[in-house]
Amino acid sequence: MTRNSPRKKALVIGAGIGGLTAAVALREAGLDVEVHERAGELRAAGSGLSVMSNAIGALNSLGVGIDLEKRGEALRSYHVKTASGRLIREFPFPEIIGRLGVPSVLITRANLQQSLLEAAEGIPLHFGAAATGFETDGVPGGGVRVAFDDGTTAEGDVLIGADGFNSVVRGQLVGPEDSQDSGYICWLAVVPFSHPRFTPGSVTHFWGSGKRFGLVDMGAGRLYWWGTKNMPAELSRDWKGGKAEILHSYAGWADEVRQAILATPEESIIAVPSRDRAFLERWGRGPVTLLGDAAHPMLTSLGQGSGMAIEDAVVLGRVLKGATDLPRALRRYEDERRERTRGMVAASRGISSFEQSEDPFRRPVRDAYFRFMPQSRLTRTLEDALTFPAVAG
């Protein structure tokens, strides 16, 4: 864009983590931005996130002062244990984080969302705006028009589909798709909690047979816990059990696991099926692209779903800054992000299958693999994931 050219306008569909970060990044890139969210208000589910150093580095590059450590807890230790609590491996995250000089932060989804909302202050955010589709034919200036279920429309120069797993924008781009069920359910909760073995800044995973459990410190005496259990898709999609079933599932597990469940009100427990989609090679066309879960939904095993959405948003802002050919810039963004996200999606699914194993012969292999993996190899793998990649010139 030249100094005298009119400012370009971006329409962002979805006000989740990726959508809000994209709004901030695009404004910093010099675009006018509108965000349209289908929900009547933003409600962050009772869950937590590990916003790892790669995502923090991406956010820091925006220069808008998103200091997540004030609302969460810096990661200080990361252990993987057996169901009974015997150590399998301590992961070298503190060493890597120290070398990178960028923290990893354990934070509730609500607090992360609030931080991003504050950073996006002044950007128009329209609630109750459920997009039903878009069109590009006949739109002035080669832009895009989005229709909403209340009969209104909005026009912009680019459209960013950040509308999550069931993205309307993706649906129009690629047509009907099947999801890939991972074969297990996820239970999630955030609760006040203390235990002698639950330490500040700690992440602890417990691995059993077809089940896992995680304890994550959110700071201020709050615990985020998650549990998984192998289950047919038809049951996990419409789970009707309760806290008693969850407790029974972890009978005989480490005391801190049982105590975390006992401390949680039943109504605070969220149950969600674990699923992703086949990796999408082409994320957009013309003035339209996708971001975050709309582009590349992934399983939670690496804890990088939000991180990849944040990275997407920052790279998108970088390539659109000063761009005169916006569709070409969007294709460049997609090219920049494709291999990084493809690798994360594949690794998340592979690790998920490995960790959830019920096979009595495979489980000892799983534990031994991580227990005896050379430290140099583990460190290199983790450091690659925790480094925000540079954008090609």
Side-chain angles (χ1 to χ4, degrees), residues 237-383:
R237 282 196 300 263
D238 191 31
W239 183 72
K240 300 295 186 183
K243 180 174 168 178
E245 179 182 332
I246 299 173
L247 271 170
H248 179 73
S249 297
Y250 297 98
W253 283 50
D255 182 66
E256 55 267 46
V257 170
R258 303 270 302 166
Q259 291 301 319
I261 301 169
L262 285 167
T264 306
E266 186 158 17
E267 63 272 15
S268 297
I269 300 173
I270 300 167
V272 294
S274 182
R275 57 187 181 169
D276 62 5
R277 297 190 188 278
F279 189 78
L280 185 64
E281 294 296 330
R282 185 169 181 177
W283 300 357
R285 64 171 181 262
V288 182
T289 195
L290 301 172
L291 180 150
D293 282 349
H296 45 72
M298 64 186 69
L299 302 182
T300 59
S301 292
L302 293 179
Q304 282 283 1
S306 61
M308 291 301 100
I310 290 168
E311 285 190 9
D312 285 352
V314 172
V315 172
L316 178 66
R318 284 185 183 178
V319 300
L320 284 179
K321 186 174 184 177
T324 54
D325 187 335
L326 298 185
R328 183 178 180 183
L330 294 182
R331 304 296 84 77
R332 180 187 169 202
Y333 149 74
E334 295 160 10
D335 290 343
E336 292 281 354
R337 297 299 299 156
R338 190 173 295 109
E339 293 310 310
R340 168 81 164 167
T341 55
R342 187 205 308 276
M344 288 290 185
V345 169
S348 294
R349 176 160 281 274
I351 291 173
S352 171
S353 175
F354 200 39
E355 292 178 349
Q356 283 291 132
S357 178
E358 285 187 270
D359 188 304
F361 299 104
R362 196 179 186 202
R363 288 199 315 273
V365 172
R366 172 196 68 187
D367 294 357
Y369 175 82
F370 283 98
R371 183 176 286 122
F372 298 114
M373 179 189 292
Q375 186 80 351
S376 60
R377 178 182 172 191
L378 178 60
T379 299
R380 184 170 59 252
T381 300
L382 296 176
E383 189 163 339

Side-chain angles (χ1 to χ4, degrees), residues 82-119:
T82 66
S84 64
R86 183 169 64 91
L87 182 66
I88 294 174
R89 185 71 178 258
E90 180 175 2
F91 281 39
F93 280 107
E95 170 195 334
I96 297 168
I97 290 166
R99 187 160 56 249
L100 293 174
V102 182
S104 292
V105 177
L106 314 172
I107 190 169
T108 65
R109 187 175 291 272
N111 281 354
L112 174 57
Q113 182 174 280
Q114 184 59 38
S115 296
L116 292 171
L117 280 170
E118 291 176 8

Side-chain angles (χ1 to χ4, degrees), residues 74 78 107 199 204 224 255 271:
Y78 193 112
I107 190 169
T199 58
T204 309
Y224 166 51
D255 182 66

Side-chain angles (χ1 to χ4, degrees), residues 9 135-145 155-159 286-288:
K9 180 179 177 182
E135 59 181 344
T136 56
D137 292 342
V139 180
V144 58
R145 180 182 298 115
E155 291 185 7
D157 297 287
V158 292
L159 169 64
V288 182

Side-chain angles (χ1 to χ4, degrees), residues 131-137 144-147 159 163 166-177 280 283-285 288 290:
T132 58
F134 65 85
E135 59 181 344
T136 56
D137 292 342
V144 58
R145 180 182 298 115
V146 180
L159 169 64
D163 45 344
N166 295 310
S167 168
V168 169
V169 179
R170 175 172 173 144
Q172 183 169 337
L173 285 169
V174 304
E177 296 176 283
L280 185 64
W283 300 357
R285 64 171 181 262
V288 182
L290 301 172

